[in-house]
Structures are given as C-alpha cells and as structure tokens.
C-alpha cells in the first residue's frame, strides 16, 4: 500500500475515534497507544497526525506530540466509502468466504481481478486491514486471517456472546460510561428513525458491533472486552453474506435503544436479562431462518 493512502486511511480512523469517544479539545494523543490499537508502526501514525493537523483537527503540543483542537473537523471514517468502493470491498469479502481468493494474494493480482486503481485498492486494503482480517506481508503481498466460515462456527459465536455479554453487565466492576452509551444510543435511534434504509451493510455491522462493544467495555473485565472484539472480527464476513431485511434490522436497533435506556436508568439486572433475550432471539434468527426469510446484522 502506498504510504500516502495508508496515512489517509489512518487519519480517517483516528478522526473516527476522536468523534466516537467524545475526545475533548486539549486532549493529548498518545502515538504509541494509537499505533498499537490500529496495529501499525508509529511512522504511519505520524503521517496521519500531519494530515489531521493540516485540517485543524489536532495541533502540535508545546511539550511535543499532538493535542486535539477541533473534533468537529475530524475526517469521515472508512465505513463512509464510496458505493463503488463498498462494492469491491464486499466482493473481496464474498470471494474470500467462497474460497475464490487464496490465503495469500498480491496487489498486482487484485488489481487485475477487480480492475481498479492502485490508490483505490490501497484504501480498500487499508480498511480491511484495520478491521483485522488481512495482514500485509513483506513486498506487495497480503495474507488473509482466519474468519468464521461455517454455520456451526457462526452459531457457536452467538452461544459465546450469550455467555459473556449478559454476565459482563453484572460484573462487580461494571461502571457505565454514560457519555459513550448515550452516543451509541443516538446512533441506534437515528437508524430507527430512518437511517436504516440508507446505511451500507458494512456500516450497519460496525454501528451495531460498536454498540455491544461499548457496553461490554464498561464491565472493567479485559477478558470479556477482548473476547467480544475478537469474535466480532471473526464473524464480520459471515455477517456481510447475510441478506438484510431493513424492517427487521430496525426492530433490532429498537431493542438496542431499549437496552441502552435500561442501563442509563441503572436497571442492570433487567438489562442483563434483556441482553440475553436479545442475543438468543437474533442468534436463532440468523442460524436457522425460516424458508425464504432473510437475516439481519447485529
């Protein structure tokens, strides 16, 4: 991937983090921590910082490094790709699940296969890399990482979530991040209010998984948090393969709003019960749909 496209992609990712976490102006940005989070070296993070600084999102700190200046100027996240980019991205996902793409691929082979420019391919591969299902090899090669490919493994992922997510809400160290959850609730309400009709499949998955990951992070249990994050990485491509009925997706988003309201009202036990019901019903819907029906992303 060209360094400029990687820096632009990382700038979008960092901008998204600044917005999603409600980072206040004056907050210092930790280069090493961001590099670890984004699974890249510190050099491209510095390039991303320079792009964000040029847009006035961040600025140089007196003691070195960068601080947030204006979060509202943050770049759009990678999920807000062009329709053409989304089409190629989803083709790669589908062909990887179908076995049409080998474990290792080169950029030149992908350029020939999808007929796009190297810059666009770099942006798409950067997006896939940030989502955790491909890694760059020395040279211009890439290696796909393991994902869920069978209905059995997909069903097991929901059984695992059913075991940890309700339990996480009842953890002794659970401390609700009200600002973060309120932001996630607003995203879900926007989908219920009509956004569900226009959001892309990939963005819908990101929005819904972000909702669940925000809640489990409040548990204070790093094993729960990392466990769910890893499962979300593994199940991403299986979710993309599902046909999405947006009316049913809206129902699930409405359930997210209700769950957020329970937590914001400090009704943790009821929230844990509702989480268990929510996961069990949506899991059953996905792994054993009725004939002719479709499933929804969550």
């Amino acid at each position: 991937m060209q360094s400029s496209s990687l820096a632009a992609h990382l700038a979008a990712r960092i901008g998204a983090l600044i917005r999603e976490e409600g980072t206040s102006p004056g907050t210092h940005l930790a280069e090493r921590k961001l590099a670890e989070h984004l699974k890249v070296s510190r050099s491209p993070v510095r390039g991303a910082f320079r792009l964000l600084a040029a847009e006035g999102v961040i600025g140089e700190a007196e003691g070195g490094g960068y601080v947030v200046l204006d979060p509202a100027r943050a770049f759009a996240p990678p999920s807000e790709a062009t329709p053409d980019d989304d089409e190629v991205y989803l083709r790669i996902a589908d062909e990887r699940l179908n076995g049409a793409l080998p474990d290792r691929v080169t950029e030149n082979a992908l350029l020939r296969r999808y007929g796009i420019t190297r810059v666009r391919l770099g942006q798409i591969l950067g997006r896939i890399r940030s989502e955790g299902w491909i890694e760059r090899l020395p040279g211009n090669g890439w290696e796909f990482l393991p994902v869920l490919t069978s209905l059995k493994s997909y069903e097991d992922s929901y059984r695992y979530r059913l075991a940890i997510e309700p339990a996480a809400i009842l953890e002794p160290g659970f401390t609700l991040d009200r600002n973060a959850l309120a932001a996630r609730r607003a995203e879900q309400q926007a989908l219920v209010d009509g956004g569900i009709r226009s959001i892309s499949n990939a963005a819908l998955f990101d929005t819904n998984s972000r909702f669940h990951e925000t809640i489990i992070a409040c548990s204070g249990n790093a094993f729960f948090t990392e466990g769910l994050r890893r499962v979300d990485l593994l199940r991403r491509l299986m979710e993309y393969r599902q046909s999405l009925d947006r009316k049913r997706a809206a129902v699930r988003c409405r359930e997210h709003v209700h769950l957020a309201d329970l937590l914001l009202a400090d009704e943790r036990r009821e929230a844990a019960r509702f989480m268990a019901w929510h996961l069990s019903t949506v899991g059953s819907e996905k792994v054993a749909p009725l004939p002719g029906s479709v499933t929804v992303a969550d």
Side-chain angles (χ1 to χ4, degrees):
M1 180 187 300
Q2 294 179 350
S3 59
S4 59
S5 62
L6 176 57
H9 177 81
L10 292 177
R13 291 282 295 164
I14 295 169
L17 289 172
I18 290 172
R19 287 199 312 274
E20 291 165 8
E21 296 178 2
T23 307
S24 303
T27 301
H28 187 269
L29 295 175
E31 181 182 293
R32 179 184 60 79
K33 184 177 179 180
L34 280 168
E36 291 175 352
H37 178 77
L38 297 169
K39 296 181 175 59
V40 295
S41 67
R42 295 170 72 167
S43 179
V45 171
R46 294 189 197 106
F49 281 172
R50 287 192 289 272
L51 292 176
L52 289 166
E55 293 295 319
V57 181
I58 64 177
E60 294 185 8
E62 291 185 5
Y66 289 89
V67 295
V68 175
L69 295 180
D70 188 355
R73 292 175 175 266
F75 294 0
S79 60
E80 296 175 14
T82 67
D84 286 345
D85 284 348
D86 269 344
E87 181 181 351
V88 174
Y89 169 89
L90 291 172
R91 278 184 61 194
I92 293 174
D94 188 60
E95 291 183 4
R96 175 57 183 161
L97 282 180
N98 286 335
L101 289 174
D103 291 344
R104 294 191 174 191
V105 293
T106 65
E107 290 187 14
N108 288 337
L110 293 174
L111 287 171
R112 291 191 297 270
R113 186 179 190 91
Y114 299 109
I116 58 177
T117 65
R118 190 172 295 275
V119 170
R120 282 187 60 203
L121 177 64
Q123 292 170 340
I124 294 169
L125 289 175
R127 173 180 174 182
I128 295 172
R129 181 184 189 181
S130 72
E131 292 172 352
W133 50 284
I134 201 170
E135 282 185 345
R136 188 168 186 177
L137 299 171
N140 70 344
W142 295 80
E143 182 174 28
F144 287 105
L145 301 178
V147 295
L148 301 183
T149 57
S150 72
L151 190 60
K152 176 62 168 62
S153 63
Y154 187 59
E155 181 179 13
D156 286 347
S157 77
Y158 266 90
R159 293 179 62 81
Y160 175 72
R161 292 181 63 192
L162 186 57
I164 68 169
E165 291 193 59
I169 294 174
L170 299 178
E171 276 288 280
F174 187 93
T175 303
L176 187 65
D177 186 337
R178 291 182 171 273
N179 290 336
L181 185 58
R184 302 293 83 77
R185 184 195 185 283
E187 291 174 348
Q188 295 295 318
Q189 187 62 57
L191 293 174
V192 172
D193 292 341
I196 197 71
R197 293 191 293 269
S198 58
I199 191 171
S200 70
N201 293 1
L204 179 59
F205 174 84
D206 287 337
T207 302
N208 288 339
S209 60
R210 186 162 60 241
F211 176 84
H212 283 267
E213 289 179 14
T214 294
I215 292 174
I216 207 167
C218 297
S219 70
N221 188 319
F223 290 96
F224 283 165
T225 302
E226 178 60 23
L228 180 59
R229 187 194 69 82
R230 182 57 183 164
V231 165
D232 282 345
L233 290 176
L234 291 172
R235 71 187 181 94
R236 177 182 289 272
L237 300 196
M238 285 288 285
E239 292 287 351
Y240 292 171
R241 186 171 245 179
Q242 308 299 319
S243 298
L244 299 177
D245 179 277
R246 295 313 172 95
K247 288 183 180 180
R248 292 169 73 183
V251 170
R252 295 305 180 184
C253 293
R254 198 173 292 115
E255 291 171 5
H256 288 161
V257 172
H258 179 63
L259 179 56
D261 287 340
L262 289 173
L263 288 168
L264 291 169
D266 295 322
E267 297 286 347
R268 283 175 57 195
R269 290 195 176 279
E270 181 58 31
R273 284 192 290 267
F274 189 80
M275 174 72 85
W277 175 85
H278 170 74
L279 290 173
S280 63
T281 55
V282 73
S284 298
E285 182 180 45
K286 288 182 177 182
V287 300
L290 296 173
S293 68
V294 290
T295 52
V296 296
D298 183 46

